Amino acid sequence: MKTLQSISNFAGKYFAFIVILFSVLAFMVPSMFTMFSAYITILLGIVMFGMGLTLKASDFKLVFTNPIPVLIGVVAQFSIMPTIAFVIAYLLNLPPQLAAGLVLLGSVPGGTSSNVMVFLAKGNVPLSITMTSVSTLLAPVMTPLLLLIFAGQWLPVDPMSMFMSIIQVIIIPIILGLVVSKFLPTVTEKSIPILPLVSIVAITIIISAIVAGNKENIATAGFLVFIAVLLHNAFGLLLGYFAAKLFKLSKQDQRAISIEVGMQNAGLGVSLANSYFSPLAALPSAFSSAWQVITGTFLATYWAKRELKNTSASDKPLEVKRVEEF
């Protein structure tokens, strides 16, 4: 178990580079990974099951004790990111599939790796965890609705079908994880140290499968997709920060909301794009999965070195209790 935990820690530390390495390998030898395309939804379900295992009632405590930062953060999440995606897709004149895929990336909830970044940045970790949890639970309604509003001009969107898919791939696995955690706490406790490794393997396979199935598209449109994803992530981090600053939230809250808004659940974006649009539409989410971890790490390192002023004892960073998944 200690060996697996060490491997898990190593994989978590170098997750972005692992994804890049396997993406390059998938591009060069696509036959090694195309077989996994049929299992993308199952793999994402495994990741969300792991999230359910680590969720606690305390993750939602802030919703009742200090709801304003949570409300500001979640509203920013579901307003800033799809709007930015729409504007970028329009200005870059992206093809319909890529435009819809970028909007989809902007419409999914926050990713769990953001919690680790907020911790490293000395931000408000409880706020980060609460935002991730709340936005994930709202995803079955918000993601199809936002897609219908922002992407309907490019591709047909079936919101009810997508609602059911998100319930199946996100909500049900999380509920199952909660049930297992409740009734088999000993098993859950023993499995938690290796959950990040399971999630990293699953996400890496998902992205590699998408890259393998899009070799020709990446060769022709890969740079354009990268620019779109880079701009989307950068403006998400920036505007998320200023949204929190506008409402005069604490420095720690500003850091948490910035990272939460800028880092999306790219795995869900890949799964939904592959199911409802095309493998090409999944490219923005696939590219984002690695890129947002790189930018999140750099931003967290920068903030960690900057002194926090006027920080009350109640706002000090708390240790991350939940094992984060990528």
Side-chain angles (χ1 to χ4, degrees), residues 133-179:
S133 304
V134 171
S135 66
T136 299
L137 294 180
L138 290 175
V141 173
M142 294 305 300
T143 299
L145 178 62
L146 291 170
L147 265 177
L148 185 64
I149 294 171
F150 288 99
Q153 63 173 309
W154 287 302
L155 293 174
V157 177
D158 185 347
M160 285 306 300
S161 180
M162 191 171 289
F163 170 84
M164 293 306 301
S165 290
I166 298 175
I167 291 290
Q168 292 169 6
V169 78
I170 297 289
I171 304 302
I172 292 177
I174 287 177
I175 292 174
L176 289 175
L178 288 168
V179 171

Side-chain angles (χ1 to χ4, degrees), residues 9-205:
N9 293 336
F10 176 85
K13 185 177 181 180
Y14 296 102
F15 170 64
F17 300 101
I18 291 172
V19 169
I20 293 172
L21 175 63
F22 275 88
S23 296
V24 171
L25 183 61
F27 181 80
M28 296 176 64
V29 193
S31 59
M32 292 178 59
F33 298 94
T34 51
M35 69 183 77
F36 295 108
S37 297
Y39 303 102
I40 288 177
T41 299
I42 295 174
L43 290 168
L44 181 60
I46 292 172
V47 173
M48 301 317 299
F49 174 76
M51 180 182 178
L53 286 177
T54 60
L55 276 178
K56 306 294 181 185
S58 58
D59 293 342
F60 300 93
K61 183 179 179 181
L62 281 181
V63 175
F64 305 102
T65 60
N66 190 19
I68 299 301
V70 179
L71 178 63
I72 292 171
V74 172
V75 170
Q77 171 82 55
F78 284 122
S79 59
I80 290 173
M81 296 308 277
T83 303
I84 293 174
F86 175 82
V87 172
I88 292 172
Y90 180 79
L91 293 178
L92 294 181
N93 195 26
L94 294 180
Q97 296 285 350
L98 291 177
L102 187 65
V103 171
L104 174 56
L105 173 63
S107 302
V108 295
T112 54
S113 58
S114 60
N115 305 152
V116 174
M117 302 306 169
V118 172
F119 173 68
L120 295 176
K122 297 181 180 179
N124 189 334
V125 177
L127 173 60
S128 174
I129 294 175
T130 302
M131 278 186 61
T132 300
S133 304
V134 171
S135 66
T136 299
L137 294 180
L138 290 175
V141 173
M142 294 305 300
T143 299
L145 178 62
L146 291 170
L147 265 177
L148 185 64
I149 294 171
F150 288 99
Q153 63 173 309
W154 287 302
L155 293 174
V157 177
D158 185 347
M160 285 306 300
S161 180
M162 191 171 289
F163 170 84
M164 293 306 301
S165 290
I166 298 175
I167 291 290
Q168 292 169 6
V169 78
I170 297 289
I171 304 302
I172 292 177
I174 287 177
I175 292 174
L176 289 175
L178 288 168
V179 171
V180 171
S181 177
K182 174 69 174 179
F183 294 101
L184 297 173
T186 303
V187 174
T188 302
E189 190 70 24
K190 290 181 179 179
S191 67
I192 279 179
I194 64 169
L195 283 179
L197 179 60
V198 174
S199 297
I200 289 168
V201 169
I203 294 296
T204 301
I205 293 174

Side-chain angles (χ1 to χ4, degrees), residues 1 26 60 211 226 260 289:
M1 183 61 73
F60 300 93
V211 170
F226 176 72
E260 277 295 321
S289 185

Side-chain angles (χ1 to χ4, degrees), residues 249-296:
L249 300 182
S250 70
K251 289 289 185 182
Q252 287 184 301
D253 288 351
Q254 291 170 22
R255 295 179 181 187
I257 291 175
S258 170
I259 293 174
E260 277 295 321
V261 171
M263 298 186 69
Q264 303 293 89
N265 188 334
L268 177 59
V270 168
S271 177
L272 292 175
N274 196 55
S275 298
Y276 287 93
F277 299 138
S278 70
L280 177 60
L283 279 184
S285 292
F287 276 46
S288 176
S289 185
W291 179 250
Q292 66 185 7
V293 174
I294 294 173
T295 56

